[in-house]
Structure formats: C-alpha cells, structure tokens
Amino acid sequence: MIETIIALLDQIKFPHGYVVEWPDGSIYRYATGQPVFKLKIKTLRAMRDILRDPSVGFGEAYMAEEIEVEGDLEQVMHLGFLARSSGLKPGLMQMAKFAWGYFSRRNTMEGSRKNIAAHYDLGNDFYSLWLDREAKQYTCAYFESPRDSIEKAQIAKLDLVCRKLRLQPGETVVEAGCGWGGFALHAVRKYGVKVRAFNISREQIAYARERADRLGIAQDRLEYVHDDYRVIGRERRQYDKFASIGMFEHVGKENYSGLYDIIAHAVKPRGLAMVHTIGRISPAPLDAWLEKYIFPGAYIPSLAEMVAPAEKKNRPLHVVDVENLRYHYALTLDHWSSRLEEHADAIRAQYGEAFLRMFRMYLRASAAGFRFGGILLFQMLLSNGYDDEAPMTRQHMLSASAQKAPPRIAGQSNNGGSATRRKAATRRATLRR
C-alpha cells in the first residue's frame, strides 16, 4: 500500500515540501527545504480507507486520531485536491453509498428540517465561540482590507447586501433562511425597512427572537418566522425585496426552480432579490465527507446551475448583477479557524476530541477549497421584471469610502508618491479575485 500511495504522490506537482510518516515508521519526503506539514499515518486501516474512499477515509481517520498533522492542515487539504485530480477517487461501492446517502437526505419539507437541525442546532453557545461577536454571521464576510476584523467585515457584508438591494426606509423585505437573524436586524435598524425572516432552525430562531426583544424592536418591524421558506410561496403577500444569504446551498438542485417561482410570486414588480451562496467553477457532487458529517443534503451549484432554472419564459426574473467573492470567504474561514483554536480546550471538554477535529478539518478544508479547489462565493442580484429606474452604474454598491475616493487626475505621473496607491490597488485586486 505504501508503494501505491508513494507512486501517486510522486506524480503530483505540489508547490511546497512536506513529509509523510507511514505506520511502519518509514519516511517519505517531497522536495527540499522546510516542509509545510508532516503527515503521520498511524495505522494500516487508515491507509486502506484513504485508498478506498479518499475524502471519507482521510476525514474519519483524522477524527479517530489515526492520522496526525503537524503544521499546515490547509496545505494537507490542498494536496488532497491535487491527489483527486491525479486519479485518487472513491471506488464504485463508495460512490453508490454516497449516492444512496444523499438521496436519503433530500430536501423535502421534513428532510430539510432534519438536515438543518443536524448542523445548525448544535448549540448557540458553540457557534458564539468562533463566529463574529457583532452580527453572528455564518456566511462569507466582505473585507475592504485583509487587515479588517471579522466583526468589521461581517457588518460590511450586510451593508453590501443592503446597498445591492437598494433598501429604502419603509420598504418590506422577506428573508429566506435567516440564520441567527443578523441581516434582518441590521436592515431594520440601519435602513429602516420592515423584515419577515424565515428559518427552520429551532436554536437560531430562538436566539434571533430573544435578541430582537432585548433591543426593543417591535414585531411589526421585525418578525422571525419559525417555518420553511416554501411557506413564503403559499402566502398571499408581496414584498419590495427578497434576500437569501447562505441558504441556497441547502435548497437542493431539484428545488431551484421552485425557489425562483417563490421569488417571482413574493416580490413586487421591479423589486429586487439577492441570492448569496457558495458556488463552484463547474458542476460536481458535494465532497462526500462534508456531506456526511457537516452539511447533510447540501449541494454547491455552478453559476450555470443557478441561472438556468431562473430563465423560465413565463417568469420575468432578470439577472441584474453577479459578483464572485471567493477570496473573501477564504479570509473569513481563516478568522473562524483562529477563533476555534482559541477555544479548542473548551470545545474538546464539552464535545470531545473527534468533534473538535471534525470542525477543524471542515474549516481548513473549506479554506483550501476557496483558495485551491474551485469553490466560489456568488452574490446574484435578480430583478422581478424591467427596472428602468435602476442606477446606471454599480457605484451605489461600493462602500462609502470607495464612493468618496478622489478620481485620478488625467496625465498624473505613476512615479513619486504613487507607491502607496499602487499597493492599495494591488490589495483591492487581490480581494476581488
């Protein structure tokens, strides 16, 4: 088995040096220089499981402490992506098991409740340890600078969504999948709108309601509804705007068209809808370990898979704007991982070592996915019909500081005092990759 894995590793062009220690104590070294990680495979069973089912096999062996990682776990995940593209894939039996498991967790009304409860009802105290402390957002933040705190970046993300939706005081907004209620609360308090926010997570909706009550916000301004988003389509209500931030991944590919029907029904003519979701560069199943242990029933769409169901001839939804915030999510996950490790002892004491390792690997594997694995973050803005009063440019979507940036003077030299501007431009370009 060792020879089989070494033969595969030798084929992979990895940008860093690393070390693998096999169960018999022998060592494999790749490249020269300081290794970014040392991977210790402690049992023959772990090796067999990796060869039979790379994702689930590695993940379960790591959770069971049959694999240890010294150094950069994200780079281990990076190597895993390259190994898969080089031919390390699950066998037919494992693929059949994954397909059956995914089918059994389809997002029916009842299935969605079970799937969401499995991850989001782990306890508000647990998520409070490592999410931002201001808005409690479990979705991609928006970094105007890579040095921003996660609190600042999450508020910036909420403002970005509100600006894209062009929220105005007195407007009505319906939100599908509200998490811990951060967007709805922000929109009501800062933009003066009225929001009805739907969520099927018992823990999250309880937290959101308690916080709104504590802040003295009346229910006629902000209502958190403990129910499935599909109920929105059954009601005879219309709203000025629609928002969905981080729920599309849990809708299920078979339900995309139904969600767009709901948007077309619930949003007034010329109203706007925001769909903020993790995406990928081309269609593919969700990683098997991630689907089994973290997000049962989830699916990550390509942009084509998102847009095609919206293009019904009898449905007047127009794609107004699409932005890819891929690198912003990598930075978000860096912050979450750092805070998870700050509280590792407390999490270990309450939930156990395997649970801590599961979340550690999930966060670092996700960061690797955004940096190296073709995973993206889409914000897609839709208009319900023709909106001829829309701004002519995207300037209104920019932050207040960006809107006020002085224009460059024609013919201005690139020499002298322009070094700082070039560095700033480079940082902005990096963030918008």
Side-chain angles (χ1 to χ4, degrees):
M1 283 190 293
I2 293 176
E3 291 77 11
T4 301
I5 299 178
I6 288 176
L8 175 66
L9 294 176
D10 283 340
Q11 298 175 31
I12 300 171
K13 294 182 179 180
F14 194 64
H16 309 287
Y18 63 89
V19 174
V20 181
E21 181 178 325
W22 309 110
D24 63 3
S26 60
I27 297 291
Y28 170 85
R29 295 183 185 276
Y30 179 85
T32 57
Q34 185 68 24
V36 291
F37 63 80
K38 181 179 182 180
L39 181 65
K40 299 176 69 174
I41 303 178
K42 298 162 67 174
T43 67
L44 291 174
R45 178 175 63 180
M47 292 179 63
R48 284 194 297 268
D49 289 347
I50 291 170
L51 287 172
R52 186 173 63 245
D53 192 343
S55 176
V56 174
F58 183 94
E60 291 182 341
Y62 179 74
M63 291 164 61
E65 301 179 64
E66 294 181 28
I67 289 177
E68 296 291 347
V69 177
E70 298 174 4
D72 194 337
L73 180 57
E74 181 179 321
Q75 288 297 333
V76 178
M77 300 296 104
H78 183 191
L79 180 63
F81 289 130
L82 296 176
R84 283 191 224 176
S85 64
S86 298
L88 185 60
K89 300 183 185 300
L92 290 176
M93 182 63 71
Q94 282 65 45
M95 293 172 69
K97 286 171 62 178
F98 171 79
W100 172 253
Y102 182 78
F103 180 81
S104 68
R105 294 185 283 270
R106 291 182 67 199
N107 287 287
T108 61
M109 294 279 278
E110 181 60 29
S112 290
R113 288 185 183 276
K114 291 179 180 179
N115 291 337
I116 293 300
H119 186 75
Y120 293 93
D121 286 344
L122 291 172
N124 293 331
D125 290 344
F126 167 66
Y127 287 104
S128 295
L129 292 175
W130 49 277
L131 297 180
D132 68 286
R133 301 180 183 98
E134 181 70 23
K136 202 165 185 177
Q137 290 289 288
Y138 194 13
T139 52
C140 177
Y142 184 64
F143 292 84
E144 296 180 348
S145 163
R147 295 182 297 276
D148 288 348
S149 69
I150 188 65
E151 279 75 22
K152 181 178 180 180
Q154 288 292 12
I155 293 298
K157 184 272 299 297
L158 296 179
D159 278 326
L160 178 66
V161 172
C162 291
R163 288 195 302 270
K164 287 185 176 182
L165 286 170
R166 309 202 311 267
L167 296 186
Q168 299 296 321
E171 288 187 330
T172 57
V173 182
V174 63
E175 183 183 10
C178 68
W180 284 277
F183 166 76
L185 190 66
H186 184 80
V188 167
R189 298 177 75 191
K190 185 169 180 180
Y191 291 83
V193 297
K194 298 180 180 181
V195 182
R196 293 184 78 223
F198 285 71
N199 194 343
I200 56 176
S201 167
R202 172 178 44 82
E203 291 275 345
Q204 289 183 326
I205 210 77
Y207 177 95
R209 286 172 174 172
E210 189 278 331
R211 189 179 184 195
D213 288 343
R214 188 170 69 249
L215 293 170
I217 300 175
Q219 196 173 42
D220 63 347
R221 295 178 59 207
L222 175 56
E223 181 184 2
Y224 290 111
V225 183
H226 186 205
D227 214 334
D228 193 280
Y229 75 91
R230 280 163 280 210
V231 172
I232 299 170
R234 300 172 188 170
E235 296 181 330
R236 294 185 177 180
R237 292 196 187 200
Q238 282 197 312
Y239 304 85
D240 296 295
K241 307 290 167 62
F242 172 99
S244 173
I245 305 173
M247 189 199 74
F248 200 82
E249 304 93 319
H250 304 287
V251 167
K253 190 164 57 170
E254 68 279 6
N255 295 319
Y256 291 171
S257 184
L259 174 61
Y260 292 132
D261 285 339
I262 290 170
I263 293 173
H265 167 82
V267 176
K268 296 176 183 177
R270 296 185 301 281
L272 297 173
M274 165 63 74
V275 177
H276 168 121
T277 181
I278 299 171
R280 61 169 72 245
I281 58 174
S282 60
L286 185 66
D287 174 83
W289 180 85
L290 197 66
E291 201 278 334
K292 181 177 181 179
Y293 284 97
I294 305 297
F295 294 122
Y299 182 81
I300 296 176
S302 70
L303 185 58
E305 289 177 309
M306 288 178 63
V307 173
E311 294 178 340
K312 277 188 178 180
K313 291 183 179 179
N314 62 343
R315 192 200 293 126
L317 293 182
H318 303 165
V319 176
V320 176
D321 185 83
V322 178
E323 186 171 10
N324 177 12
L325 301 178
R326 175 191 66 85
Y327 197 68
H328 292 261
Y329 218 149
L331 295 176
T332 303
L333 286 152
D334 291 346
H335 282 273
W336 290 346
S337 293
S338 178
R339 289 192 174 177
L340 186 85
E341 296 303 332
E342 288 175 11
H343 299 283
D345 290 341
I347 295 169
R348 185 184 293 111
Q350 183 169 356
Y351 297 96
E353 179 68 26
F355 181 90
L356 172 63
R357 285 172 172 250
M358 178 179 72
F359 263 83
R360 175 186 291 144
M361 195 175 98
Y362 148 54
L363 294 177
R364 295 328 298 152
S366 297
F370 283 99
R371 285 191 168 100
F372 317 113
I375 304 301
L376 313 172
L377 191 287
F378 295 124
Q379 285 192 341
M380 182 171 72
L381 189 65
L382 301 167
S383 171
N384 195 13
Y386 297 101
D387 180 12
D388 295 335
E389 297 179 3
M392 297 295 289
T393 72
R394 298 179 80 255
Q395 191 71 14
H396 66 287
M397 298 182 184
L398 304 178
S399 68
S401 59
Q403 290 179 31
K404 294 176 182 177
R408 181 176 171 181
I409 301 172
Q412 185 178 38
S413 171
N414 284 327
N415 300 319
S418 64
T420 301
R421 289 190 296 274
R422 288 201 301 274
K423 290 180 181 178
T426 301
R427 286 197 296 270
R428 288 195 296 272
T430 300
L431 287 174
R432 289 170 181 165
R433 283 186 297 170

